[in-house]
Amino acid sequence: MSGVWCEAAWLPGRGVADSVRAEVNESGIVTSVRAGVPAAPADLHVAGVSFPAASNAHSHAFHRVLRGRTHDMGVGSFWTWREQMYKAAGALTPDLYEELATAVFAEMVVTGWTSVAEFHYVHHQPDGTPYGSSSGGEHAMELALARAAVNARIRLTLLDTCYLAGGIGQPLAAEQTRFGDTCVESWLERLGSLRAAVAREFSPDQVTVAAALHSVRGVPEEALPVVARELPADMPLHIHLSEQPAENEACVLATGLTPTGLLQRHGLITNRLSAVHATHLTENDIAVLGAGHTTIVMCPTTEADLADGIGPAAALKDAGARIALGTDQQAVVDPWLEMRALEHGERLGSGQRGWFPPEALHKAASDAGAAAQGRRAPGLAPGRYCDLMAVDPASMRTVGSRRDQLALTATAQDVATVVIGGRLAARKGIHATLGDPARLLSAALTKLDTASEGV
């Protein structure tokens, strides 16, 4: 048993309290919490105001390659951005991906994210050939991501993604070949094998495997009932949903239904489903997703960067859905900006303020993201992981802010300390074991740039 003492901390349902001490067991789980008490001699001291750490509900680690490199296209779109994404994916090898993902996950940790749902579809070699014994084993890319997470000390939910088509009624394009499996049954078989391999090598507190369908564009309708029938009932399931109007139009043309309606037809709208983006929805879609108590993963900084649009977050919340947050393409890795952008999107769309009060923003950033991963929540309450992000309340950005309103003023630059499982993980932007993530990112990006020249 160890102890963590916080100068001040946000407690679920109670707001910010002073002099908060938590006892933490050997698994990193809080066993007791008391406010207004002194620190014990061996406690980890955390200055500033501690909040539950953020749980990243949607990430593509390799998209970090594209940050700051896709803005010279004139009038561009999601679809033109995607071509550069394919080139980056084509350059990845297991060794390069482990190095890059270690750096990206380290960046997440120092900014306050302590768990991540990695939406992973770069499964095979560039020509679609599965990795074998001579190239790192069947799950070479997946295990590279798992090792990267362990290196960075972030909790990883690896979302092994089914990707079978290049569009509705279209085969995979050449640049998508390494993403695909021959059929949904092959994907399910590989998924089961991956789960077993990860369970043999990693603690479930560190790495778990769940499932994703890329989209209704990437998974043919005939595969959906197979997924509903064969996927283990307790396994989280994620999907990109209605990110673009073109996706909706193609789905309606082919099936007579919106993407949400198509998933409902096959019994996939349940409380284990996390729908990512959900930007372009009908009123009926919103009602269906809410009635199913799904999680909606908003990625506001990515949706702004790609000009996707502003999703109906407040309407979905009011209908019964749970709102979580993710970094998606890593255009920004900052849970504080994602929280703020969620509220700002509603303000810009409605002309009103106060749709997501600070407590709701923190729940979206922490509890909802953890639930989407099938994990226990972070924070200072018995039964939670002792995963915390503490901010400086007296920086030039935060000075003068009420402590319970720091979600509307702080940024990742204000994160002074990150704690994972009751242990120090980062201080002032420096990872406790890996050092400066910028150095790691620079080295990895240089290698990827060289590899991309040959793609």
Side-chain angles (χ1 to χ4, degrees), residues 388-443:
L388 309 171
M389 54 180 180
V391 297
D392 178 0
S395 77
M396 66 179 180
R397 288 162 295 279
T398 61
V399 65
S401 301
R402 281 177 40 178
R403 295 185 301 180
D404 61 353
Q405 293 188 18
L406 285 166
L408 280 303
T409 59
T411 72
Q413 290 178 281
D414 304 306
V415 175
T417 306
V418 179
V419 175
I420 300 178
R423 297 169 54 210
L424 178 67
R427 280 201 195 280
K428 296 183 178 179
I430 302 299
H431 195 280
T433 56
L434 295 175
D436 186 355
R439 175 181 56 83
L440 303 176
L441 287 162
S442 177

XYZ file of all heavy atoms in Angstrom, residues 388-443:
400
model
N -3.990 10.559 -12.320
C -4.304 11.965 -12.090
C -3.523 12.859 -13.034
O -2.422 12.520 -13.467
C -3.939 12.360 -10.652
C -4.461 11.477 -9.521
C -3.828 11.896 -8.205
C -5.974 11.550 -9.445
N -4.115 14.018 -13.357
C -3.393 15.094 -14.031
C -3.584 16.345 -13.186
O -4.708 16.762 -12.924
C -3.863 15.285 -15.472
C -5.351 15.488 -15.676
S -5.737 15.705 -17.451
C -7.533 15.915 -17.372
N -2.473 16.907 -12.740
C -2.525 18.075 -11.867
C -2.063 19.302 -12.632
O -1.030 19.273 -13.308
C -1.636 17.862 -10.649
N -2.825 20.391 -12.529
C -2.493 21.615 -13.254
C -2.074 22.717 -12.287
O -2.494 22.763 -11.128
C -3.664 22.106 -14.135
C -4.000 21.087 -15.200
C -4.881 22.429 -13.299
N -1.251 23.585 -12.814
C -0.813 24.768 -12.082
C -1.930 25.811 -12.149
O -2.270 26.286 -13.244
C 0.470 25.299 -12.736
C 0.988 26.563 -12.089
O 0.366 27.067 -11.126
O 2.024 27.075 -12.565
N -2.493 26.205 -11.021
C -3.595 27.176 -11.062
C -3.128 28.622 -11.125
O -3.960 29.537 -11.080
C -4.317 26.902 -9.738
C -3.220 26.494 -8.806
C -2.229 25.720 -9.655
N -1.810 28.837 -11.231
C -1.288 30.205 -11.202
C -0.418 30.518 -12.409
O 0.420 31.420 -12.355
C -0.494 30.430 -9.914
N -0.604 29.801 -13.508
C 0.114 30.144 -14.739
C -0.538 31.368 -15.368
O -1.604 31.819 -14.930
C 0.063 28.975 -15.725
O -1.202 28.908 -16.354
N 0.096 31.908 -16.416
C -0.507 33.091 -17.042
C -1.842 32.756 -17.705
O -2.655 33.648 -17.958
C 0.450 33.716 -18.056
C 0.761 32.880 -19.264
S 1.884 33.778 -20.364
C 2.085 32.583 -21.677
N -2.114 31.471 -17.977
C -3.403 31.077 -18.550
C -4.461 30.850 -17.474
O -5.638 31.117 -17.675
C -3.242 29.799 -19.395
C -2.500 30.012 -20.713
C -2.003 28.703 -21.281
N -0.997 28.087 -20.417
C 0.288 28.430 -20.407
N 0.722 29.381 -21.207
N 1.133 27.835 -19.581
N -4.019 30.327 -16.322
C -4.991 29.897 -15.317
C -5.131 30.846 -14.138
O -6.113 30.746 -13.389
C -4.598 28.521 -14.774
O -3.296 28.613 -14.150
C -4.561 27.483 -15.882
N -4.182 31.745 -13.940
C -4.226 32.596 -12.754
C -5.543 33.378 -12.708
O -5.998 33.920 -13.718
C -3.010 33.548 -12.704
C -3.010 34.560 -13.844
C -2.915 34.218 -11.340
N -6.164 33.350 -11.538
C -7.447 34.027 -11.359
C -8.647 33.143 -11.607
O -9.772 33.510 -11.244
N -8.450 31.976 -12.208
C -9.574 31.072 -12.489
C -10.072 30.426 -11.201
O -9.277 30.079 -10.314
C -9.148 29.953 -13.446
O -8.665 30.448 -14.666
N -11.346 30.234 -11.101
C -11.879 29.377 -10.045
C -11.369 27.959 -10.285
O -11.312 27.501 -11.424
C -13.398 29.399 -10.048
C -13.996 30.618 -9.407
C -15.505 30.654 -9.492
N -16.146 29.354 -9.269
C -17.472 29.171 -9.269
N -18.278 30.195 -9.516
N -17.978 27.976 -9.073
N -11.022 27.281 -9.222
C -10.401 25.965 -9.385
C -11.326 24.965 -10.059
O -10.876 24.081 -10.788
C -9.932 25.431 -8.022
C -8.827 26.278 -7.405
C -8.292 25.669 -6.126
N -9.304 25.484 -5.101
C -9.060 24.970 -3.887
N -7.830 24.593 -3.568
N -10.037 24.846 -3.011
N -12.616 25.117 -9.831
C -13.551 24.177 -10.450
C -13.877 24.544 -11.894
O -14.633 23.837 -12.556
C -14.838 24.058 -9.628
C -15.602 25.374 -9.508
O -15.071 26.429 -9.944
O -16.729 25.364 -8.972
N -13.286 25.647 -12.390
C -13.505 26.036 -13.782
C -12.224 25.994 -14.612
O -12.170 26.537 -15.721
C -14.132 27.429 -13.846
C -15.546 27.478 -13.286
C -16.239 28.805 -13.523
O -15.833 29.599 -14.375
N -17.313 29.041 -12.770
N -11.202 25.297 -14.130
C -9.943 25.223 -14.858
C -10.089 24.507 -16.203
O -9.272 24.712 -17.103
C -8.887 24.533 -13.998
C -8.328 25.402 -12.869
C -7.559 24.551 -11.858
C -7.427 26.498 -13.427
N -11.109 23.695 -16.363
C -11.333 23.037 -17.659
C -11.548 24.043 -18.782
O -11.333 23.725 -19.952
C -12.536 22.096 -17.581
N -11.939 25.266 -18.435
C -12.189 26.288 -19.455
C -11.020 27.236 -19.644
O -11.103 28.153 -20.478
C -13.450 27.093 -19.092
C -14.821 26.465 -19.415
C -14.947 26.127 -20.883
C -15.121 25.252 -18.562
N -9.911 27.021 -18.908
C -8.770 27.930 -19.061
C -7.435 27.209 -19.226
O -6.530 27.733 -19.877
C -8.660 28.888 -17.855
O -8.501 28.132 -16.653
C -9.894 29.776 -17.737
N -7.273 26.046 -18.647
C -5.981 25.357 -18.676
C -5.716 24.727 -20.037
O -6.638 24.460 -20.814
C -5.929 24.285 -17.589
N -4.435 24.484 -20.315
C -4.025 23.688 -21.474
C -2.997 22.673 -20.995
O -2.599 22.659 -19.824
C -3.393 24.555 -22.582
O -2.087 24.980 -22.157
C -4.256 25.758 -22.915
N -2.531 21.851 -21.920
C -1.511 20.862 -21.564
C -0.249 21.518 -21.021
O 0.487 20.896 -20.245
C -1.180 20.001 -22.781
N 0.022 22.754 -21.406
C 1.197 23.459 -20.884
C 1.125 23.677 -19.378
O 2.147 23.912 -18.733
C 1.357 24.805 -21.585
C 1.781 24.709 -23.031
C 1.861 26.081 -23.669
O 0.864 26.663 -24.055
N 3.073 26.605 -23.769
N -0.088 23.605 -18.833
C -0.277 23.819 -17.401
C -0.260 22.527 -16.602
O -0.377 22.566 -15.372
C -1.593 24.562 -17.156
C -1.645 25.873 -17.916
O -0.701 26.674 -17.757
O -2.596 26.078 -18.695
N -0.131 21.384 -17.270
C -0.102 20.109 -16.560
C 1.268 19.960 -15.908
O 2.282 19.773 -16.573
C -0.390 18.937 -17.511
C -0.232 17.598 -16.791
C -1.801 19.061 -18.075
N 1.289 20.066 -14.586
C 2.548 20.036 -13.841
C 2.960 18.615 -13.478
O 4.150 18.300 -13.429
C 2.417 20.875 -12.573
N 1.986 17.753 -13.203
C 2.278 16.391 -12.759
C 1.237 15.438 -13.305
O 0.039 15.763 -13.346
C 2.269 16.304 -11.215
O 3.160 17.282 -10.674
C 2.694 14.920 -10.736
N 1.697 14.265 -13.726
C 0.806 13.178 -14.122
C 1.158 11.965 -13.279
O 2.341 11.624 -13.109
C 0.941 12.847 -15.624
C 0.015 11.693 -16.002
C 0.628 14.071 -16.471
N 0.128 11.326 -12.736
C 0.283 10.143 -11.891
C -0.453 8.989 -12.550
O -1.591 9.149 -12.998
C -0.288 10.407 -10.485
C -0.246 9.140 -9.627
C 0.455 11.551 -9.806
N 0.178 7.832 -12.645
C -0.460 6.626 -13.173
C -0.315 5.521 -12.141
O 0.803 5.160 -11.754
C 0.161 6.185 -14.510
C 0.010 7.279 -15.562
C -0.494 4.890 -15.007
C 0.637 6.947 -16.912
N -1.429 4.999 -11.670
C -1.411 3.923 -10.689
C -0.722 4.301 -9.397
O -0.117 3.456 -8.734
N -0.817 5.569 -9.021
C -0.212 6.032 -7.788
C 1.264 6.329 -7.880
O 1.901 6.658 -6.872
N 1.822 6.241 -9.084
C 3.250 6.489 -9.288
C 3.450 7.694 -10.212
O 2.657 7.916 -11.135
C 3.928 5.259 -9.897
C 3.889 4.030 -9.031
C 4.340 2.814 -9.808
N 5.644 3.010 -10.437
C 6.020 2.421 -11.563
N 5.185 1.616 -12.224
N 7.224 2.644 -12.055
N 4.529 8.421 -9.987
C 4.837 9.568 -10.836
C 5.087 9.112 -12.268
O 5.911 8.228 -12.522
C 6.076 10.280 -10.301
C 6.551 11.487 -11.122
C 5.542 12.622 -11.050
C 7.923 11.948 -10.629
N 4.402 9.728 -13.226
C 4.587 9.402 -14.640
C 5.221 10.540 -15.420
O 5.937 10.295 -16.401
C 3.241 9.035 -15.274
N 4.956 11.778 -15.017
C 5.531 12.924 -15.742
C 5.482 14.156 -14.866
O 4.591 14.299 -14.017
C 4.763 13.181 -17.036
N 6.466 15.041 -15.084
C 6.447 16.357 -14.451
C 6.822 17.406 -15.491
O 7.831 17.262 -16.187
C 7.440 16.440 -13.296
C 6.977 15.820 -11.998
C 7.770 16.378 -10.826
N 7.630 15.606 -9.596
C 6.615 15.683 -8.763
N 5.596 16.496 -9.026
N 6.580 14.955 -7.663
N 5.979 18.432 -15.594
C 6.250 19.610 -16.422
C 6.693 19.220 -17.834
O 7.682 19.722 -18.363
C 7.288 20.501 -15.751
C 6.792 21.068 -14.423
C 7.791 22.006 -13.792
C 7.238 22.585 -12.496
N 8.194 23.494 -11.828
N 5.943 18.310 -18.436
C 6.173 17.948 -19.825
C 7.272 16.941 -20.065
O 7.565 16.611 -21.223
N 7.889 16.430 -19.024
C 8.971 15.464 -19.155
C 8.509 14.123 -18.600
O 8.087 14.030 -17.438
C 10.241 15.933 -18.427
C 10.689 17.288 -18.981
C 11.347 14.891 -18.561
C 11.028 17.285 -20.458
N 8.576 13.090 -19.429
C 8.159 11.748 -19.017
C 9.142 11.204 -17.989
O 10.356 11.369 -18.117
C 8.109 10.847 -20.256
C 7.386 9.569 -20.050
N 7.958 8.475 -19.437
C 6.114 9.187 -20.391
C 7.093 7.483 -19.406
N 5.963 7.892 -19.969
N 8.631 10.522 -16.959
C 9.466 10.090 -15.845
C 10.534 9.092 -16.246
O 11.607 9.042 -15.627
C 8.594 9.492 -14.739
N 10.277 8.293 -17.280
C 11.272 7.298 -17.696
C 11.811 7.525 -19.104
O 12.912 7.069 -19.420
C 10.677 5.874 -17.628
O 9.483 5.813 -18.429
C 10.344 5.499 -16.191
N 11.075 8.229 -19.949
C 11.492 8.408 -21.343
C 12.045 9.794 -21.641
O 12.601 10.015 -22.722
C 10.309 8.130 -22.279
C 9.781 6.690 -22.282
C 8.536 6.589 -23.163
C 10.836 5.708 -22.735
N 11.877 10.720 -20.730
C 12.396 12.063 -20.963
C 11.458 12.917 -21.800
O 10.239 12.793 -21.729
N 12.041 13.766 -22.628
C 11.290 14.741 -23.419
C 10.660 14.063 -24.634
O 11.371 13.571 -25.514
C 12.237 15.849 -23.877
C 11.526 16.979 -24.594
O 10.309 16.875 -24.834
O 12.200 17.962 -24.937
N 9.318 14.016 -24.740
C 8.691 13.392 -25.909
C 9.074 14.051 -27.227
O 9.079 13.390 -28.273
C 7.190 13.545 -25.625
C 7.094 13.646 -24.146
C 8.318 14.399 -23.732
N 9.409 15.332 -27.217
C 9.800 16.007 -28.465
C 11.039 15.362 -29.064
O 11.154 15.223 -30.291
C 10.036 17.491 -28.219
N 11.962 14.963 -28.223
C 13.179 14.295 -28.709
C 12.824 12.951 -29.339
O 13.329 12.589 -30.408
C 14.152 14.098 -27.544
C 15.395 13.300 -27.887
C 16.294 13.138 -26.665
N 15.588 12.534 -25.549
C 15.413 11.211 -25.419
N 15.862 10.381 -26.348
N 14.785 10.739 -24.372
N 11.943 12.207 -28.690
C 11.519 10.911 -29.223
C 10.776 11.086 -30.546
O 10.988 10.333 -31.502
C 10.611 10.199 -28.215
C 11.174 9.942 -26.823
C 10.102 9.309 -25.943
C 12.400 9.057 -26.889
N 9.894 12.077 -30.591
C 9.123 12.325 -31.808
C 10.036 12.732 -32.960
O 9.856 12.284 -34.100
C 8.069 13.397 -31.551
C 6.876 12.964 -30.698
C 6.141 14.169 -30.136
C 5.917 12.089 -31.513
N 11.003 13.578 -32.688
C 11.913 14.026 -33.735
C 12.656 12.846 -34.358
O 12.750 12.737 -35.591
C 12.913 15.027 -33.158
O 13.840 15.428 -34.145
N 13.157 11.956 -33.527
C 13.896 10.803 -34.041
C 12.994 9.892 -34.855
O 13.355 9.425 -35.945
C 14.525 10.034 -32.878
